[in-house]
Amino acid sequence: MAGKTFEELQSIYNQPLFELVDKARAVLKENWKQNEIQLCTLLSIKTGGCSEDCGYCSQSARYRTGLEREKLMTVDEVMPYAEQAKAKGSTRFCMGAAWKGVREDTAQFETVKETIREVSKLGMEVCVTLGSLTKTAAQELKEAGVTAYNHNIDTSPEYYKEVVTTHSFDDRLNTIKHVQNAGMDVCCGGILGMGETVDDRIKMLQVLTTFDPAPESCPINCLMTIPGTPMEEQKPVETFDLIRMIATARIVLPKTKIRLSAGRTEMSKETQAWCIYAGANSIFYGNKLLTAGNPENSRDDSLLKDLDLCKQASHSDMALNKA
Ligand code: SAM
Ligand code: DTB
Ligand code: SF4
């Protein structure tokens, strides 16, 4: 789909809430099996000690967040987590590393690629989020079996400078280009609640609509305030702002999986139901995100039961009209 203008997005976002949700729900029904939800499990395979200064992050070495720095996990250490995720019904396993980016020709990168090859054998979608990539690193990840690469733009181009100073918004777009050119799916979204304006959120969505191809998935995270970071005092996101954002994303990215991501521990079942009704069709499943908490599996199972949702079957094609 061709990119939308900021004004087009603003008028979608600002229409009366129920009209917005009605439209988003119609788009969801047209493009997706409305009662299915994709479950993705996260694992931090290299925690903490990151050189970057992302103001929201527990893993930046620049803030005293109390997080213990850990070495890169080995293949054998990772596999039980992937197997358990599969056994519990997740179809995607996403591994994150607290790196500025991938350094090619290192033993660490070889270990990560070996891990990817092993996880692929389980028949799960393999997603990684390892920071910036060169063209070659992207190609090597694709060859190892990565199906999707997560690299968020996080906010508007203008506000990005207030969030991170050690790399730029354009650096993020550059990595996303390499991911697309290597033939991996792009998972790209952002965070709400970092002190940005509603217009910044809309501008972030506007950038996502210019991607070609459109992102395969789009995580919408609510800031989880981490003591010790510059954003520790930020206020929670208003529920109806979150719903508006999800509904708008659903309308402008009709075939993208919209993932209701970080911050669900602070959301009621009803809030989450609204978000899913308005177009979200994926969640992170498992009691931990990368370093922060996520609802227990049992709580999510009861949410899915209450809403009569089923877990997306392994490798089932969720999109009705996807080739
Ligand atoms: N280092 C890699 C990078 O920056 O892309 C991968 C890991 S990074 C932790 C992945 C994403 O998690 C970030 O882009 C951000 O959107 C999200 N995230 C990190 N900390 C968060 C927090 N405290 N609250 C909400 N989302 C967060
Ligand atoms: C994304 O957008 N959200 C996930 C995933 N991509 C890698 C990570 C959320 C991290 C939340 C904070 C933490 O666990 O440290
Ligand atoms: Fe490092 Fe990624 Fe955290 Fe930024 S978001 S500090 S790059 S781990």
Side-chain angles (χ1 to χ4, degrees):
M1 175 197 281
K4 294 221 175 274
T5 65
F6 173 68
E7 289 71 25
E8 280 173 315
L9 272 150
Q10 256 188 331
S11 67
I12 296 173
Y13 183 96
N14 287 316
Q15 64 194 302
L17 183 70
F18 291 160
E19 282 168 36
L20 171 61
V21 171
D22 278 352
K23 286 188 187 125
R25 180 107 194 122
V27 173
L28 179 81
K29 285 181 173 178
E30 204 178 302
N31 292 282
W32 299 89
K33 288 184 187 161
Q34 54 177 309
N35 60 347
E36 274 194 357
I37 189 143
Q38 182 209 32
L39 305 182
C40 254
T41 297
L42 280 166
L43 177 68
S44 178
I45 59 169
K46 159 66 188 77
T47 304
C50 185
S51 63
E52 301 308 279
D53 68 355
C54 310
Y56 50 79
C57 190
S58 64
Q59 306 201 69
S60 166
R62 297 170 189 245
Y63 314 127
R64 291 166 67 101
T65 63
L67 188 76
E68 270 205 49
R69 187 183 175 141
E70 287 165 28
K71 288 208 303 253
L72 179 67
M73 290 172 76
T74 63
V75 182
D76 290 346
E77 285 167 342
V78 173
M79 288 314 288
Y81 288 93
E83 283 156 8
Q84 200 200 37
K86 182 181 174 178
K88 294 225 157 116
S90 276
T91 49
R92 178 178 290 196
F93 191 62
C94 179
M95 295 173 275
W99 286 333
K100 176 185 178 73
V102 161
R103 284 184 293 132
E104 296 157 42
D105 301 319
T106 57
Q108 296 219 322
F109 190 40
E110 290 309 312
T111 301
V112 171
K113 285 186 289 178
E114 187 51 30
T115 306
I116 291 163
R117 284 190 278 271
E118 286 304 309
V119 176
S120 311
K121 289 183 191 160
L122 298 177
M124 300 180 87
E125 295 174 17
V126 186
C127 174
V128 284
T129 179
L130 313 169
S132 67
L133 296 181
T134 59
K135 180 180 173 200
T136 324
Q139 288 166 342
E140 289 183 28
L141 288 172
K142 166 74 183 170
E143 271 162 38
V146 168
T147 54
Y149 195 83
N150 168 245
H151 203 62
N152 291 340
I153 55 171
D154 280 330
T155 187
S156 68
E158 294 79 3
Y159 197 66
Y160 199 73
K161 302 183 251 327
E162 310 298 320
V163 175
V164 190
T165 69
T166 47
H167 58 258
S168 69
F169 195 82
D170 281 348
D171 291 335
R172 302 294 283 184
L173 295 181
N174 213 17
T175 290
I176 290 163
K177 266 270 154 279
H178 291 319
V179 171
Q180 289 170 330
N181 290 339
M184 291 180 282
D185 286 336
V186 169
C187 170
C188 184
I191 309 180
L192 312 185
M194 301 190 293
E196 74 287 346
T197 61
V198 165
D199 281 358
D200 285 312
R201 296 175 186 170
I202 296 175
K203 281 182 195 159
M204 174 181 92
L205 273 185
Q206 200 256 324
V207 173
L208 294 175
T209 69
T210 66
F211 286 14
D212 185 16
E216 175 266 347
S217 54
C218 173
I220 303 289
N221 298 281
C222 289
L223 178 73
M224 299 184 77
T225 49
I226 312 286
T229 64
M231 295 190 181
E232 64 183 341
E233 304 280 7
Q234 289 292 342
K235 300 272 167 301
V237 176
E238 294 285 343
T239 299
F240 292 116
D241 288 352
L242 170 64
I243 294 161
R244 270 184 196 279
M245 186 72 183
I246 289 194
T248 308
R250 169 51 63 219
I251 291 168
V252 301
L253 299 169
K255 295 183 199 305
T256 298
K257 265 169 248 164
I258 306 293
R259 186 170 302 117
L260 178 60
S261 299
R264 289 196 303 114
T265 42
E266 301 303 314
M267 290 174 209
S268 67
K269 273 187 168 182
E270 291 79 3
T271 294
Q272 296 181 65
W274 262 93
C275 292
I276 294 167
Y277 185 85
N281 59 348
S282 175
I283 54 170
F284 287 120
Y285 185 64
N287 63 0
K288 209 170 169 197
L289 294 164
L290 290 173
T291 69
N294 198 43
E296 296 288 334
N297 290 78
S298 56
R299 186 170 160 80
D300 279 340
D301 289 342
S302 96
L303 175 71
L304 300 194
K305 191 161 176 279
D306 288 346
L307 304 183
D308 297 311
L309 295 172
C310 52
K311 300 177 180 176
Q312 178 198 8
S314 181
H315 281 286
S316 84
D317 201 351
M318 261 177 101
L320 289 174
N321 49 4
K322 223 174 168 183

